[in-house]
Amino acid sequence: LKKDGDLVHRDEILCELESEKATFELSAEQAGKLSVVATDKAVLKIGDVVARIDTSIQPEEKKEESKPVETKTEIPKTETKNPKPETEIKNYATGTPSPAAAKIIRESGVEINLGSGKSGRITKADILTAIKNPKQKHETQTQPETQNSKPGTRSEHREQMSSLRKAVSKHLVTAKNQTAMLTTFNEVDMKPIMDIRNQFKDAFKEKHGVSLGFMSFFAKAVCNALQEFPAVNASLDGDEIIYHDYCDISIAVSTPKGLVVPVIRNAESLSMVEIEMKVVELAKKGRDNKLSLEEMTGGTFTISNGGVFGSLMSTPIINIPQVAILGMHKIQERPIALNGQVVIRPMMYLALSYDHRMIDGKESVTFLVRIKEQLENPSHLLFGQDPMKYLLDL
């Protein structure tokens, strides 16, 4: 994030270090002149020198006139007349080149602040246009590709696989090769849960400051089912089976760096409010690359929600050494038979992938059915079963 020879202040962010599990920011320990040692994309060992700071050369004290906000994404002056919503201006894609555009920028040295792509992303066409019009290369590119631009190019580029992507790839291949993975499916009528959300979402948000989502319902149902079927909450360590008396639920979160799986500790003892707050906290940290190793380590069972991307059905891969993972999917209105009548209901397919070495077919199917029963009868979430049966000890 800083260049060789820059004068830096203490605690300024110098660079990002990416490990197999997380991304960390490296701050300047002292103020002075920066001498960069490690190159971008270099693979470093623990203890390697990243940079040196010459403290005999001090930067000027920060003045109030130098506003840090000016280093953020530049907005054309014409925007101030008719300002757009903040979500359109402050976007991670704004001013970011596509992979193909980035390659041409490195080779040509052309500069451009804003592109014509979605949310201001710089496209290859923007760079080609800037090269053909060098006098305008510093101006914002807002026009689409001209007729003179070369169509149908066959360029390609190579990039080093990130440490996180390497780790994910190795982990997934190991899971496929070293487990006897099977997947069982079911579907759940989401109308009861949706009715509850519609009835209480405003009051819930007003009192607790967080939205009432689906994840808390699923996490509660999963925790109840895991306590009934301890084998699904276990993990394998060589020839030994580790049974966990707690439910540390891993939540799959998609981030700009890739898929991460932060953990909600002791989810079985948390309220719906606490679960929702934890989900929001972990998701935000994931998007901002602020998750710690501890927050992504462990977990006894994983929930993955492919429905947020539109997935109707999938077979999730087990997050080893765990032995099972639940896949949520898109809610879609479908005709179903209910009490002898064909009705339209908001339905969701559920998928449970499990390690058959550890979990029998009957156990996996019953576990998934138990989750379905709780979601279709939300009162069952209180005790993991019908409250009246619980009261009568049946």
Side-chain angles (χ1 to χ4, degrees):
L1 303 177
K2 297 292 184 180
K3 297 178 181 179
D4 186 66
D6 282 354
L7 296 179
V8 297
H9 292 84
R10 182 174 181 174
D11 296 330
E12 271 194 293
I13 306 301
L14 302 179
C15 66
E16 291 181 345
L17 300 176
E18 183 184 73
S19 73
E20 291 184 348
K21 292 188 176 181
T23 300
F24 307 89
E25 292 179 339
L26 184 65
S27 303
E29 296 181 5
Q30 297 291 338
K33 184 177 181 180
L34 183 68
S35 175
V36 178
V37 177
T39 58
D40 192 24
K41 309 297 182 184
V43 179
L44 306 178
K45 297 179 180 179
I46 300 298
D48 283 355
V49 176
V50 176
R52 295 186 175 89
I53 297 177
D54 184 355
T55 56
S56 65
I57 305 175
Q58 290 290 308
E60 295 182 4
E61 292 296 328
K62 292 183 179 180
K63 298 180 181 180
E64 193 172 343
E65 291 80 9
S66 57
K67 300 179 181 179
V69 293
E70 294 178 356
T71 62
K72 295 183 178 180
T73 304
E74 296 182 13
I75 307 299
K77 293 182 179 180
T78 53
E79 294 287 333
T80 58
K81 296 180 180 179
N82 297 292
K84 294 184 179 180
E86 187 177 353
T87 54
E88 290 187 31
I89 295 175
K90 296 182 179 180
N91 189 295
Y92 76 93
T94 305
T96 301
S98 67
K103 179 177 183 295
I104 301 176
I105 289 176
R106 290 193 298 269
E107 295 174 348
S108 64
V110 68
E111 296 181 8
I112 185 171
N113 298 325
L114 191 66
S116 61
K118 184 177 181 181
S119 301
R121 182 180 290 278
I122 300 172
T123 66
K124 181 180 177 181
D126 295 327
I127 303 302
L128 294 176
T129 301
I131 292 174
K132 292 183 177 181
N133 300 277
K135 294 182 179 180
Q136 301 176 10
K137 67 177 182 178
H138 295 289
E139 297 178 4
T140 299
Q141 304 297 313
T142 57
Q143 298 299 323
E145 184 176 0
T146 62
Q147 293 182 354
N148 295 328
S149 298
K150 186 178 179 180
T153 58
R154 292 173 55 80
S155 63
E156 59 184 33
H157 75 287
R158 291 173 182 261
E159 286 187 3
Q160 185 69 27
M161 186 181 290
S162 68
S163 299
L164 177 60
R165 179 55 58 186
K166 288 180 184 177
V168 170
S169 301
K170 181 179 179 181
H171 196 69
L172 295 180
V173 171
T174 301
K176 290 286 288 184
N177 293 340
Q178 297 185 4
T179 64
M181 193 177 77
L182 291 178
T183 304
T184 182
F185 300 93
N186 213 316
E187 62 178 353
V188 57
D189 182 356
M190 293 296 292
K191 189 175 188 305
I193 298 296
M194 295 177 72
D195 288 345
I196 290 176
R197 288 185 70 231
N198 291 333
Q199 181 179 354
F200 296 107
K201 64 180 181 181
D202 293 336
F204 189 91
K205 180 70 176 290
E206 182 178 354
K207 181 174 181 178
H208 303 296
V210 64
S211 299
L212 179 60
F214 291 122
M215 188 56 72
S216 56
F217 290 97
F218 276 85
K220 271 294 181 185
V222 163
C223 288
N224 290 333
L226 288 176
Q227 291 172 319
E228 183 179 351
F229 301 93
V232 185
N233 195 41
S235 59
L236 292 175
D237 184 12
D239 294 331
E240 294 182 334
I241 302 172
I242 304 175
Y243 291 95
H244 308 285
D245 296 329
Y246 51 87
C247 299
D248 282 358
I249 306 299
S250 303
I251 306 295
V253 176
S254 179
T255 73
K257 295 284 187 178
L259 184 70
V260 295
V261 192
V263 181
I264 300 177
R265 309 287 180 188
N266 287 103
E268 81 286 351
S269 63
L270 299 181
S271 66
M272 298 277 284
V273 178
E274 291 170 324
I275 292 175
E276 288 293 353
M277 288 182 172
K278 200 64 180 177
V279 168
V280 171
E281 175 192 345
L282 294 175
K284 185 178 186 303
K285 284 186 175 181
R287 290 191 298 269
D288 297 340
N289 294 316
K290 300 294 185 182
L291 286 169
S292 66
L293 287 176
E294 182 181 358
E295 288 172 319
M296 292 188 289
T297 303
T300 61
F301 185 90
T302 297
I303 300 177
S304 177
N305 185 8
V308 296
F309 305 109
S311 173
L312 188 61
M313 183 179 289
S314 66
T315 55
I317 299 179
I318 298 171
N319 182 19
I320 56 175
Q322 299 174 21
V323 295
I325 177 173
L326 177 70
M328 300 166 55
H329 297 91
K330 177 184 177 181
I331 298 175
Q332 188 174 60
E333 290 191 340
R334 295 197 297 271
I336 65 168
L338 183 66
N339 298 325
Q341 301 291 325
V342 177
V343 296
I344 305 296
R345 306 286 278 201
M347 305 298 293
M348 176 192 288
Y349 286 118
L350 298 180
L352 179 74
S353 292
Y354 61 98
D355 191 339
H356 210 346
R357 298 176 301 169
M358 182 68 195
I359 305 170
D360 295 329
K362 177 183 177 182
E363 201 168 20
S364 64
V365 171
T366 309
F367 175 85
L368 193 56
V369 168
R370 193 71 75 244
I371 293 176
K372 169 185 170 69
E373 291 173 346
Q374 294 180 73
L375 295 173
E376 293 184 340
N377 302 276
S379 61
H380 292 194
L381 292 171
L382 289 170
F383 307 107
Q385 58 176 308
D386 188 328
M388 187 54 66
K389 289 184 178 180
Y390 180 85
L391 180 65
L392 299 176
D393 194 21
L394 297 176

